[in-house]
Amino acid sequence: LKGENHKRREDYFWSQRTYPSGDRASAAQALAAARATAASAPGGRSAQVLTGTILSGVWRSIGPTGFFGAQGGYFDSSPQIDAGRVTAIAPSPLAGGQLIIGSASGGVWSTPSLGAGWAALTDAQCSLNVGAVSVDPVNPSLVYAATGEWNDNSTGCGILRSSDGGLTWTTTGQVQFQNLAFGRVLIDPATAGSTFATILLAAGNNGLYRSTNSGTSWSYVNGTAYGASVIAHPTKTGVMFYGDADYYSPQNRSVYRSTDHGATWAPLPLPPTTTTATIGRTELAASAAAANKIFALIANATTGKLLGLFRWDDSLSTWTQLAASGVYTGDPRGDFGAQGSYDLAILVDPRNAQH
């Protein structure tokens, strides 16, 4: 089949997990089954270790490991007892600090050793579906993990908060966030480090949520649906940006800007050559090396392919379109360059904004 196939893979996934009556196992049942499988594995999930030397400049897998029974097929490759797809990577702000990742259906994991050994952190929590993980830039013992994965709308049960680096957790927003999914949790750099007064923003599949008390309570601040990305300006205190891909009300699609730590928002002008009909998923990034430049990678809402890469100049209030093209494989089983609503990502080097 040509074209975007991730929805068909999702249909196949659920067809194997749905009873003839149409009912599906609850999240609690699925989680219990996963725990039973993990408990029967030699050494358990957290005992998985990958040894070796991390090679500079060379990409290779650093785990977590634990694949079993890989089928090698297009729709059913590699059933896993461990992490699954990685949806979030959150490094420590401290040199030599632990690296924390979140996975689509395998929970939160950490490594203190550049990937040479991994530990599962959230097996006892309410959901293993994780869409976003953030580590506090001032106090890396404070970790936030949003359950519910935005890419595939695998729903969760709240936002997990840890004050001891992921050893123990509390769940926030259990009522508000039940059956929601998230793409990003932003920790306001200006108020970071507090266990009771940090401002947080969580981009979810029905809008943007904000907390002014380190996640204890949340309010709904931007009701435009399907925002996967929210970032802070690298140097301007309180200035933030939010990428909206509202599938239900296209007139709301835009990049939004806030000047009051995310309390209120206003849309920016549309990037050149785009319309509200064509703007799809929007991922944002910024670099301290070019503080006033905000980069927006936007998918085409109609085709799923790359609509364009754009740069907002926050000092001149203007957009520039940059040269960029998507990855189109021509694979008859599906073109991975047409999955912009599913696997779109951008990051800008904090030391060199040309990268």
Side-chain angles (χ1 to χ4, degrees):
L1 293 174
K2 294 183 179 180
E4 185 176 1
N5 274 340
H6 72 275
K7 291 300 182 185
R8 183 171 178 188
R9 292 198 299 277
E10 181 181 0
D11 291 341
Y12 181 86
F13 173 88
W14 284 117
S15 72
Q16 296 179 307
R17 293 158 177 82
T18 303
Y19 294 107
S21 64
D23 295 330
R24 294 175 181 172
S26 68
Q29 291 172 314
L31 188 54
R35 287 172 180 158
T37 301
S40 65
R45 283 159 55 92
S46 61
Q48 305 293 339
V49 174
L50 177 68
T51 59
T53 302
I54 305 301
L55 303 177
S56 175
V58 178
W59 288 99
R60 70 184 183 91
S61 173
I62 59 173
T65 58
F67 296 113
F68 71 95
Q71 298 296 315
Y74 185 60
F75 293 115
D76 60 345
S77 58
S78 300
Q80 303 161 12
I81 62 170
D82 289 340
R85 289 185 292 110
V86 173
T87 56
I89 301 175
S92 170
L94 304 178
Q98 71 172 346
L99 173 69
I100 298 179
I101 66 171
S103 66
S105 55
V108 178
W109 292 71
S110 71
T111 175
S113 51
L114 295 177
W118 292 87
L121 302 181
T122 57
D123 280 4
Q125 303 309 311
C126 57
S127 175
L128 293 178
N129 298 333
V130 176
V133 175
S134 293
V135 173
D136 190 287
V138 175
N139 180 0
S141 293
L142 300 175
V143 183
Y144 301 89
T147 67
E149 191 228 346
W150 197 96
N151 295 317
D152 218 15
N153 273 325
S154 298
T155 58
C157 55
I159 293 181
L160 307 178
R161 178 179 62 189
S162 174
S163 59
D164 54 14
L167 296 178
T168 61
W169 301 85
T170 58
T171 307
T172 72
Q174 295 99 319
V175 176
Q176 288 168 290
F177 301 150
Q178 195 68 224
N179 296 322
L180 296 187
F182 291 92
R184 190 77 56 86
V185 173
L186 171 66
I187 302 172
D188 177 21
T191 59
S194 172
T195 58
F196 59 88
T198 294
I199 294 174
L200 306 172
L201 290 161
N205 62 350
N206 74 334
L208 185 66
Y209 290 84
R210 182 175 185 260
S211 172
T212 59
N213 51 17
S214 302
T216 300
S217 61
W218 297 84
S219 60
Y220 199 33
V221 294
N222 191 325
T224 61
Y226 259 72
S229 184
V230 58
I231 65 170
H233 191 287
T235 59
K236 293 181 179 178
T237 299
V239 175
M240 299 173 176
F241 299 87
Y242 170 56
D244 173 49
D246 194 330
Y247 290 157
Y248 308 103
S249 302
Q251 69 272 14
N252 293 328
R253 296 173 183 167
S254 184
V255 175
Y256 287 74
R257 184 176 187 268
S258 172
T259 58
D260 53 10
H261 302 268
T264 60
W265 297 83
L268 298 179
L270 295 182
T273 73
T274 71
T275 68
T276 55
T278 58
I279 291 176
R281 178 173 180 171
T282 300
E283 290 291 328
L284 304 175
S287 169
N292 278 314
K293 303 299 192 293
I294 307 301
F295 296 83
L297 187 66
I298 305 178
N300 190 306
T302 302
T303 66
K305 294 186 177 183
L306 180 67
L307 184 61
L309 174 62
F310 305 89
R311 185 181 63 213
W312 169 257
D313 189 315
D314 206 48
S315 59
L316 301 177
S317 297
T318 58
W319 283 104
T320 300
Q321 184 166 7
L322 305 178
S325 59
V327 178
Y328 305 111
T329 67
D331 190 327
R333 297 178 301 178
D335 195 335
F336 288 100
Q339 294 187 172
S341 65
Y342 181 71
D343 47 17
L344 195 71
I346 182 173
L347 187 67
V348 183
D349 189 324
R351 297 181 181 179
N352 184 349
Q354 298 300 312
H355 298 163

